[in-house]
Amino acid sequence: MLRINRLVIISFLIFTQVALWGQNNTNSPYTRFGYGGLADRALGAGKAMGGIGIGLRSKQQINPMNPASYSCMDSMTFIFDIGASGQVSWFKEGDQSERKLNGNIESLAMQFPLARGLAMSIGLLPYSFVGYEFGEIAEQNDLVWTEAFAGQGGLNDLYAGISYEIWKKRLAVGVNAGFLFGSITHSRALVFSEATGGDDVTRRQKYRIRDLKLDFGIQYVHPFSATDQLVIGATYSPRNSLNTTVYEEQIVGTSTSAYSRQDTVTTSKFGMPDSYGLGVSFVRSNQWTVGADMIYETWNKCYFNNEKGQFKNRVRLALGGEYIPNMRSRNYLANVSYRVGVHYSNSYLRVNPSGENAYEGYGYKEIGATIGFGFPMIDNRSFVNVAFEYVKVRPELRTMIDEQYFRFSLSYTFNEFWFFKRKVD
């Protein structure tokens, strides 16, 4: 009990910091629009398998992508997972190119049993990232000025989930109740040259979001033998309006003589989409695992800052697999989990809508491949999970910014018999 209390205290302290550390994981100019770049919810093994998880059901990994998965854990086990990530980004526009480096703590989760067939998970996950800086020098008639854009922030999901096996080892249901929170700040600055004599103008806009979020899940297990099984999973997250406060500030003039105007708006409409997920996995001889996920989100029905139609529906497809050579071997490499995956998605954003594109705007396609490893610790229950990911962002319009990412993820999954009482002679 003392060890559990210590872990709860440490977890709380980390929870209070992750929200600060996990909001600058990107430099993409596309995060200027909407809620920014969307984060994947996969942890550990799923992250290295293309980001799948809806159909995964593991006793040794936390899987918040489908809350129905929690109940498969052993009734004597406690699981704790903490993850960090880093990435190298390449941006190219015409003849210009740039490279950026980011990294931070990304996720924290724990899972524990409440009764036989009943388990709970608590965690903090990123929902979106915003981070960018770019600008240009403009000239019109006799006026010359610099226009600079910058943004930072993101949204986080603090969730508590519960899962119950309504049909022993065959059918489970679950729900996550999340608190979605965070702030997103955008700024635009017009700086005129001294010769021009114009007044500098800086406008900042901040969205502060606080609201609830629900995720429902179900999983059905069809056993073919004692070691072979097929898992079919489904998830649903209902769309909802977000409690959002908008802060606006405009500063006109130089640093020595400037005046500002501030406004606070609490009636602007913001929303999140319906999200439907379907996943399947097949496990053979506790050695091979293959799985696939599909997620569909109805972003075109969402409001953003009182406007509807700024987004388009999003689809994400993922395929992944895992291979463990021999879990009973004394050879360490035979106990390592080897994982691969691929994924595809389209953006939910509409960039630069105009009459020329029927106000549909332009988006981008995202294609990625992953590879990773699960290194067991001495007890063969805890793991260090490593994942490498390459992502190519392909814009629909050739003149838009081309992006490439190489991401590195590291997580530690602590798995122990915390509730097991050993007899001492």
Side-chain angles (χ1 to χ4, degrees):
M1 181 63 69
L2 181 59
R3 289 189 297 177
I4 297 176
N5 289 337
R6 286 178 179 175
L7 184 57
V8 170
I9 294 173
I10 294 173
S11 301
F12 174 78
L13 293 176
I14 298 178
F15 269 131
T16 61
Q17 297 299 319
V18 172
L20 300 177
W21 294 336
Q23 293 194 8
N24 289 312
N25 201 34
T26 180
N27 289 101
S28 173
Y30 295 122
T31 62
R32 175 171 172 76
F33 304 94
Y35 301 100
L38 301 181
D40 294 329
R41 295 177 66 88
L43 300 180
K47 187 177 288 290
M49 297 165 65
I52 66 173
I54 298 175
L56 292 182
R57 192 168 177 82
S58 171
K59 296 181 179 180
Q60 297 177 314
Q61 303 280 347
I62 302 176
N63 178 22
M65 289 189 67
N66 191 335
S69 66
Y70 307 148
S71 58
C72 73
M73 71 180 304
D74 190 281
S75 60
M76 298 292 182
T77 302
F78 185 94
I79 306 176
F80 178 84
D81 187 285
I82 183 170
S85 67
Q87 71 177 24
V88 181
S89 311
W90 291 270
F91 305 97
K92 185 177 181 181
E93 183 180 17
D95 297 331
Q96 298 182 352
S97 61
E98 188 176 11
R99 185 179 66 178
K100 295 286 187 178
L101 177 65
N102 302 91
N104 53 46
I105 294 177
E106 193 169 70
S107 62
L108 180 70
M110 62 180 70
Q111 185 173 306
F112 48 89
L114 300 176
R116 188 174 298 275
L118 181 67
M120 185 174 188
S121 177
I122 301 173
L124 180 61
L125 306 173
Y127 184 87
S128 69
F129 299 105
V130 173
Y132 63 89
E133 288 183 355
F134 63 91
E136 62 178 357
I137 298 176
E139 181 177 357
Q140 184 176 0
N141 298 329
D142 294 330
L143 290 178
V144 178
W145 69 92
T146 299
E147 189 172 16
F149 299 87
Q152 62 180 354
L155 301 182
N156 304 280
D157 183 11
L158 176 63
Y159 77 90
I162 192 169
S163 172
Y164 178 64
E165 285 188 349
I166 58 178
W167 183 8
K168 186 177 180 181
K169 296 184 179 181
R170 297 291 292 270
L171 185 64
V173 294
V175 60
N176 282 337
F179 177 59
L180 197 67
F181 68 97
S183 298
I184 298 173
T185 302
H186 300 288
S187 66
R188 178 186 180 187
L190 301 179
V191 181
F192 293 88
S193 64
E194 295 182 0
T196 301
D199 288 334
D200 298 341
V201 180
T202 300
R203 186 186 180 205
R204 296 189 183 93
Q205 193 170 46
K206 179 180 180 180
Y207 308 127
R208 183 176 180 270
I209 296 174
R210 304 284 189 275
D211 217 315
L212 300 179
K213 180 178 181 292
L214 293 176
D215 306 302
F216 301 94
I218 186 171
Q219 286 185 332
Y220 169 73
V221 181
H222 183 79
F224 292 101
S225 67
T227 58
D228 298 356
Q229 67 178 27
L230 178 71
V231 181
I232 301 174
T235 58
Y236 171 63
S237 301
R239 65 188 174 105
N240 63 318
S241 299
L242 296 179
N243 180 18
T244 306
T245 302
V246 181
Y247 303 93
E248 295 185 350
E249 180 183 22
Q250 182 168 299
I251 303 174
V252 179
T254 64
S255 58
T256 56
S257 61
Y259 66 90
S260 64
R261 178 177 60 85
Q262 299 179 350
D263 293 311
T264 300
V265 182
T266 58
T267 58
S268 295
K269 291 183 179 180
F270 291 78
M272 288 293 174
D274 286 304
S275 178
Y276 305 89
L278 183 64
V280 61
S281 70
F282 176 73
V283 180
R284 183 166 189 178
S285 301
N286 294 319
Q287 187 177 31
W288 290 92
T289 300
V290 293
D293 279 3
M294 181 185 73
I295 298 175
Y296 178 71
E297 299 170 338
T298 59
W299 282 97
N300 68 340
K301 299 179 181 180
C302 299
Y303 281 94
F304 187 85
N305 205 12
N306 277 337
E307 294 186 18
K308 193 175 183 180
Q310 296 188 52
F311 306 137
K312 56 184 177 181
N313 295 341
R314 177 177 181 259
V315 175
R316 188 182 193 277
L317 305 174
L319 175 67
E322 177 185 68
Y323 173 63
I324 306 174
N326 189 347
M327 297 178 63
R328 298 181 179 180
S329 174
R330 293 185 178 181
N331 185 337
Y332 180 79
L333 293 180
N335 288 267
V336 174
S337 301
Y338 301 88
R339 302 158 180 157
V340 295
V342 293
H343 62 84
Y344 161 87
S345 66
N346 66 284
S347 69
Y348 72 103
L349 302 171
R350 297 181 186 272
V351 180
N352 298 329
S354 64
E356 297 179 357
N357 52 50
Y359 296 98
E360 291 293 322
Y362 299 101
Y364 55 83
K365 304 293 191 300
E366 185 176 292
I367 303 171
T370 60
I371 185 172
F373 309 91
F375 297 103
M377 306 301 286
I378 297 177
D379 58 7
N380 277 331
R381 292 188 299 270
S382 300
F383 296 88
V384 173
N385 297 298
V386 179
F388 302 92
E389 181 180 18
Y390 171 77
V391 177
K392 170 70 174 180
V393 174
R394 182 171 297 173
E396 295 178 351
L397 190 64
R398 185 173 298 179
T399 57
M400 293 171 61
I401 296 175
D402 182 273
E403 300 181 353
Q404 297 182 72
Y405 298 94
F406 178 77
R407 294 170 178 159
F408 170 75
S409 300
L410 178 68
S411 68
Y412 175 62
T413 302
F414 176 80
N415 194 321
E416 186 56 89
F417 292 123
W418 285 77
F419 304 98
F420 180 74
K421 294 183 178 179
R422 295 179 174 85
K423 293 183 178 181
V424 179
D425 295 332

